[in-house]
Amino acid sequence: MTYDNVPKRPVALLGLGDMGTALARTWLAAGYPLTVWNRTPAKAAALACEGAVVAATPADAVAAADLVVLCLLDDASVGQTLEGVDVSGKDLVDLTTGTPGEGRERAAWAAARGARFTDGGIMGTPVMMGVPASGAYVFYSGSRALFDAHRAALEVPAGARFVGEDPGHAALYDVALLSAMYGMFAGISHAFALIEAEDIAPKDLAPLLSEWLGAMGFFVDNVAERLTSRDFTTGVVSNLAMQVAAAPTLLRTAAEQGVGTELLAPYLDLMRRRLDADRQARSGEDTTGAITLLTRQVVSSSPVRDQR
């Protein structure tokens, strides 16, 4: 969707680290009146040359626009920056990386001061901001009215995906995806470590690894379906018992190659624990049931027969 004919309303941005600066440049390039503030004023100098108004204080920045975007170090920094600032009647969008709980607490904080609030989780790096083909986007949750009112501005740096009125959900989606990413990075790191001492070039393994990980992408939808139905056995082609039996081979190979197993062993142990709890009932499952060992509360089974 394009918003070329939508009037460009002023934006205030507090925080000019690498991401904040990248966001600022996208709004300036799109013709948005932009006021910026940063704890270290020198970081604002280049943006002033590009057309931004530099505010002397957070209060001055907040007063300059209805839409106030925060991109600071952490939630504590947000609290310190806005301490004593009148935010009544303002629309606060917090793009500071935080937890779901912090998002909810900040939303309550804003509501108590007469402001609307939407939290955000940025799925991208600074160099991806403002680049249409980069694939970057931002999760938003909280006030839907705020999101709808400012969607044109919010979609300038990257795609905007509203994920619900619970202000904690943007951070939750963000961290869920990042957690999966780091898990993948761990597996990739272990794979390359295995060949480190061999006459195998990393560039020869790389395309095979990319192809294999892509082929395993079906597992994401499969897990979602099984967690919804609580049926962990129907249609399983590589069962839990088989995978637990194969795990020692992975560990022995690592030992032979002189590679530590700290990136791999925890997941293998989780599978073994799931199976050991009830081998007769769980040997035919896939690995999805192991997720239940990570959660702190038991999820009630659906009308579909509980296969755990």
Side-chain angles (χ1 to χ4, degrees):
M1 182 179 295
T2 60
Y3 295 90
D4 294 338
N5 297 323
V6 177
K8 293 179 172 59
R9 299 159 64 181
V11 178
L13 173 64
L14 286 72
L16 297 175
D18 290 344
M19 182 60 76
T21 297
L23 295 172
R25 289 203 161 105
T26 67
W27 281 311
L28 288 170
Y32 280 80
L34 181 68
T35 298
V36 299
W37 173 88
N38 193 68
R39 190 176 302 278
T40 305
K43 289 189 175 182
L47 293 174
C49 295
E50 297 173 33
V53 174
V54 180
T57 68
D60 291 338
V62 170
D66 290 335
L67 175 61
V68 178
V69 180
L70 300 133
C71 190
L72 299 164
L73 177 63
D74 52 27
D75 183 67
S77 300
V78 173
Q80 293 165 5
T81 297
L82 295 180
E83 180 68 29
V85 175
D86 181 9
V87 297
S88 60
K90 299 296 181 178
D91 286 339
L92 306 181
V93 174
D94 191 359
L95 299 184
T96 303
T97 301
T99 69
E102 288 170 341
R104 292 172 183 132
E105 290 173 3
R106 188 57 59 190
W109 178 94
R113 289 159 178 77
R116 295 191 296 190
F117 179 86
T118 296
D119 200 34
I122 302 175
M123 303 307 300
T125 62
V127 297
M128 298 168 73
M129 296 301 105
V131 181
S134 72
Y137 60 88
V138 181
F139 289 122
Y140 292 97
S141 64
S143 170
R144 180 76 202 220
L146 183 161
F147 177 79
D148 289 341
H150 299 288
R151 184 166 186 168
L154 297 177
E155 289 192 333
V156 169
R161 302 189 182 187
F162 189 79
V163 292
E165 295 190 348
D166 183 327
H169 281 181
L172 189 56
Y173 273 84
D174 180 27
V175 173
L177 267 60
L178 291 176
S179 297
M181 178 191 75
Y182 281 114
M184 181 183 69
F185 286 174
I188 291 171
S189 298
H190 184 85
F192 277 110
L194 288 174
I195 68 164
E196 183 73 5
E198 298 288 333
D199 186 22
I200 299 175
K203 64 181 179 62
D204 291 336
L205 178 64
L208 301 174
L209 195 52
S210 294
E211 181 182 6
W212 176 247
L213 292 176
M216 292 298 101
F218 75 91
F219 185 64
V220 176
D221 287 337
N222 189 47
V223 168
E225 291 174 3
R226 293 192 185 282
L227 288 176
T228 300
S229 68
R230 312 309 288 178
D231 178 354
F232 301 143
T233 59
T234 301
V236 171
V237 296
S238 181
N239 65 57
L240 186 62
M242 180 192 306
Q243 298 205 46
V244 170
T249 300
L250 305 184
L251 299 176
R252 290 198 306 271
T253 299
E256 289 180 8
Q257 297 301 107
V259 172
T261 60
E262 54 265 40
L263 297 179
L264 184 65
Y267 185 64
L268 300 182
D269 182 62
L270 198 68
M271 292 194 301
R272 179 191 57 75
R273 286 168 50 205
R274 174 71 177 177
L275 182 62
D276 285 350
D278 189 342
R279 283 182 172 266
Q280 183 174 356
R282 295 173 178 172
S283 61
E285 294 181 356
D286 70 357
T287 62
T288 303
I291 295 171
T292 63
L293 299 180
L294 298 174
T295 56
R296 290 178 296 178
Q297 59 183 4
V298 177
V299 181
S300 60
S301 62
S302 70
V304 176
R305 183 170 60 88
D306 193 340
Q307 299 290 333
R308 291 178 293 171

